[in-house]
Structure formats: structure tokens, C-alpha cells
Amino acid sequence: MSRFWSDVVRRLSPYVPGEQPRNADLVKLNTNENPYPPSPRALALVSADIGPSLRLYPDPNSVGLKDAVARGTGLERSNVFVGNGSDEVLALSFLAFFSGGNALQFPDVSYSFYPVWCQLFGIEAERIALAEDFRVDLTPYRGGKGGIIFPNPNAPTGIALALSDIEALLRDEPDRLVVVDEAYVDFGAESTAALVPRFENLLVVQTLSKSRSLAGLRVGWALGQPDLISALDRVKNSFNSYPIDRVAEQVAVAALDDESHFRECRERIIATRTQTTSRLQTLGFEVLPSSANFIFVHHPRAQASELFEGLRERDILVRYFEQPRIDGHLRITIGTDEEMMRLVSVLAELVRAA
Ligand SMILES: *Cc1c(COP(=O)(O)O)cnc(C)c1O
């Protein structure tokens, strides 16, 4: 700790991202990356077109990218805000909409960055317990005062809410901003994007990191009515006016416009998820119904922490959360079929020995 640290910095307990080890032989199933390459059309741009233009600042409004997002979602450019990963978009949203206000409600088991941003921006966090079966129950959110945020599907459970349930919440709580974090929506949930024109109180946050295989590019966006987008622009332009660099913008547009590559990779991941789920169930695992590119699993006879260590010793990395309610579970990213076969065979051994 340095004497130059502000009080805010002293009090922070920062988010801890999943490990990003340098060992290339690892079966890496711990941070929900996509096992397939980005669109070849997107990759071709990097060396060819973009290089010489890098001496110039990028478009601070990322109009080309906003238009690609608008095309893909059926919305207008004025409904789109883009940022350096959806983490940045979420952080700016916390500052723009929730700081200085009432407590922000979110599920007690959810994306662990939410409480970190609350702390950073001095927002009171109100954690709402998941139902017994790990679903998000929206009933206890009703009648509150401040904003609401949840991922759909939720992380790390992978369970999705029905669009009709979210719509009912938006209708019943018109004076509260509801942020739906759709990082995993493409893997099996219904997006709320189409509700944006009808609900002033809805902000939808999406990313290229998971379903478009571009976690390394850092591009995400928010969808909302123009008033909400203007608030985000005000905050962005008070912090970093060029969050999307030239490479990121062009690669992102090419990836967004390559629907067929996107669909093919998504279908493969969904098929691998179905197959891995049934193989793990055969080994006695309980697998929560996942609409994401990961599964959340529990074995009644084997300790999750020991399975985690056992996998690690065999160069397979998954995610274990030492946290009440979920310390009996592992979160496993869906990799390729070969990676998942290796995972299942090691888990079979570990469970037999438990
Ligand atoms: C991965 C993830 C994000 C962040 O995605 P980036 O766009 O890579 O910053 C946001 N929310 C949830 C729930 C996630 O799992």
C-alpha cells in the first residue's frame, strides 16, 4: 500500500479473473472462451488493410461498429453504445445509472464483477438469493427502489430466464432501470434486444468475447433507448473517448457480418454441451440445465475442490468457486469434442477413486 493511494483504492477488493496460464498444452476450460477460431473474414483484415491506418486515431463514435450491431439486432445506431469489452460497458453503466442512487439488486450467485463495481463507485449492493434449484426468481426483486442487474443466462449456473418473465418485470417496474447482461445469450437464451424500443427502462449488454470467439479483441456494447445511450456517451467522453481501436472496430464488423461462421460454431458448442452433459450424468454428476457455453456440475460423492485439483494435475483447468452455496460445484467451459472427451475420461477416473 502506498501513501499515494486514495481511500477508494485502499478499500477495493478487485475482481479476480480466471487464470490465463502460459502453458500451451493445457486443456483450458476455465474462462468460457470459444474453442473455435474467429471468422476467417475477420482474421484476414488484421494484416492486410488495417496496418497503415494505425497512425490515425480511430472514430471516437465507432459508427461502423454501431451500424453492424444495429444491423444484427434490428435496432438503430442511436440505440447502441460500444466499449472495450462488455466489462467496460458494464462499469460505465454502473457509474452512469446507479452511483449516488438506491441499492442495486442482483443475484447472490452471479457475475462476481458486479459487487466490485458497486464498491468502486460507492453503490450499495443488495444480493437477492437464487431459488433452491439455482434459478433466478424475479419475485423478490419487485417493489424495490434502485436498479436491477442480472446475466441471462446467469453465470456461473448457466440457467436462463424466459423472455416473458423479464418482460413482465420491465412492465411492472417502469421506474427502475433493468440491465440484462447477455454475455452468453447466443448459446440458448432469448435476447431482450427486441424489447428495447418498447421499454425505456431496459439496457441490454452483449459481447463478442464468447459466442464470436473474440475475447482477445475486447469489444462489447449496450442496447437501449437514446436517452440511456447518451448518458453512457457522456461518461465515456469524460474518461476515454477512443475505447475501440481501429483494429478492433474493423475485425468486429467483419465478425458480426459473418453469420454463417457464427451459427456453425454455436451449433457445435451446443451439440458438445448436450453430449458432455449426458456423459457426465452417466458418471453420477448433477448438471444444471445450461443455456450457455459452460456447464455447472456437482457430484454427490466427490468433493468439487478435489476434482478441481485432480483435473489440474492432469493439465485440465476448470473453475472452482470457494463461495457459500456453490463450493460443491465446478464450472466447466465447453471446449472441442476432443477436449471434452479428455475431461470426461479424467473425471471418470477421479470419481471412481473418490
Ligand atoms: C465474460 C462476461 C462478461 C465480460 O465480457 P467481456 O466482453 O469480455 O468484457 C460480462 N458478463 C458476464 C456475465 C460474463 O461472463
Side-chain angles (χ1 to χ4, degrees):
M1 202 189 294
S2 154
R3 65 199 170 88
F4 298 115
W5 287 18
S6 71
D7 284 346
V8 173
V9 170
R10 279 173 213 275
R11 283 196 306 264
L12 293 178
S13 30
Y15 174 75
V16 183
E19 258 179 282
Q20 301 294 356
R22 291 177 185 280
N23 168 8
D25 294 334
L26 218 56
V27 176
K28 194 170 173 302
L29 305 174
N30 69 329
T31 52
N32 300 343
E33 290 135 326
N34 197 307
Y36 303 115
S39 157
R41 291 202 246 156
L43 288 181
L45 286 171
V46 177
S47 52
D49 297 6
I50 303 174
S53 69
L54 288 181
R55 67 187 186 82
L56 300 170
Y57 276 105
D59 171 10
N61 297 314
S62 307
V63 166
L65 174 55
K66 285 184 181 177
D67 286 350
V69 172
R71 279 196 294 283
T73 53
L75 296 168
E76 305 286 326
R77 185 194 297 163
S78 61
N79 295 123
V80 185
F81 174 82
V82 296
N84 186 240
S86 59
D87 280 344
E88 182 186 76
V89 174
L90 288 163
L92 298 181
S93 303
F94 274 51
L95 185 57
F97 304 116
F98 304 134
S99 68
N102 292 299
L104 174 68
Q105 295 180 323
F106 51 83
D108 61 342
V109 174
S110 192
Y111 190 34
S112 47
F113 226 137
Y114 301 153
V116 176
W117 288 314
C118 282
Q119 199 182 33
L120 178 61
F121 299 123
I123 300 161
E124 194 189 330
E126 186 184 343
R127 294 169 175 79
I128 310 277
L130 293 186
E132 211 42 56
D133 60 1
F134 290 99
R135 286 173 194 280
V136 173
D137 173 9
L138 292 176
T139 317
Y141 290 79
R142 288 161 197 268
K145 285 209 177 82
I148 297 172
I149 184 167
F150 50 81
N152 189 42
N154 194 19
T157 62
I159 300 176
L161 275 162
L163 186 59
S164 54
D165 290 340
I166 302 175
E167 188 174 345
L169 179 75
L170 292 164
R171 207 181 317 113
D172 296 346
E173 302 286 337
D175 298 322
R176 300 170 66 198
L177 183 67
V178 177
V179 179
V180 184
D181 179 352
E182 296 191 339
Y184 301 104
V185 75
D186 294 324
F187 298 107
E190 294 171 284
S191 176
T192 47
L195 301 181
V196 161
R198 283 172 43 216
F199 291 99
E200 282 181 342
N201 58 329
L202 169 63
L203 192 76
V204 185
V205 178
Q206 299 180 339
T207 176
L208 292 181
S209 295
K210 277 77 183 225
S211 61
R212 302 272 177 168
S213 307
L214 285 168
L217 195 68
R218 313 306 305 133
V219 172
W221 55 84
L223 306 168
Q225 292 198 2
D227 277 350
L228 298 179
I229 302 305
S230 304
L232 289 168
D233 276 329
R234 287 169 71 94
V235 176
K236 174 211 131 197
N237 289 324
S238 306
F239 181 69
N240 174 10
S241 42
Y242 300 105
I244 306 290
D245 63 70
R246 283 180 175 271
V247 178
E249 180 166 22
Q250 299 224 32
V251 174
V253 170
L256 277 167
D257 287 343
D258 194 347
E259 269 295 304
S260 66
H261 177 82
F262 162 67
R263 283 172 200 274
E264 188 192 318
C265 293
R266 174 177 64 183
E267 294 321 310
R268 279 162 88 172
I269 286 171
I270 292 171
T272 308
R273 180 180 74 202
T274 306
Q275 208 169 50
T276 306
T277 299
S278 66
R279 292 201 170 111
L280 290 179
Q281 283 167 336
T282 308
L283 298 179
F285 280 91
E286 289 157 18
V287 184
L288 295 187
S290 173
S291 300
N293 69 334
F294 56 84
I295 47 178
F296 203 49
V297 310
H298 164 79
H299 198 284
R301 284 181 297 103
Q303 291 255 317
S305 54
E306 286 170 17
L307 295 176
F308 172 79
E309 288 302 337
L311 286 167
R312 215 190 144 83
E313 280 163 22
R314 289 163 183 78
D315 286 338
I316 300 176
L317 210 53
V318 299
R319 195 92 199 254
Y320 170 67
F321 300 91
E322 213 173 341
Q323 188 185 313
R325 263 199 101 175
I326 56 168
D327 57 4
H329 283 73
L330 295 177
R331 192 197 67 190
I332 304 171
T333 302
I334 302 300
T336 60
D337 283 324
E338 300 71 52
E339 288 175 322
M340 301 321 276
M341 293 291 267
R342 194 164 141 199
L343 168 95
V344 170
S345 74
V346 173
L347 280 175
E349 265 176 59
L350 293 172
V351 165
R352 229 176 291 128

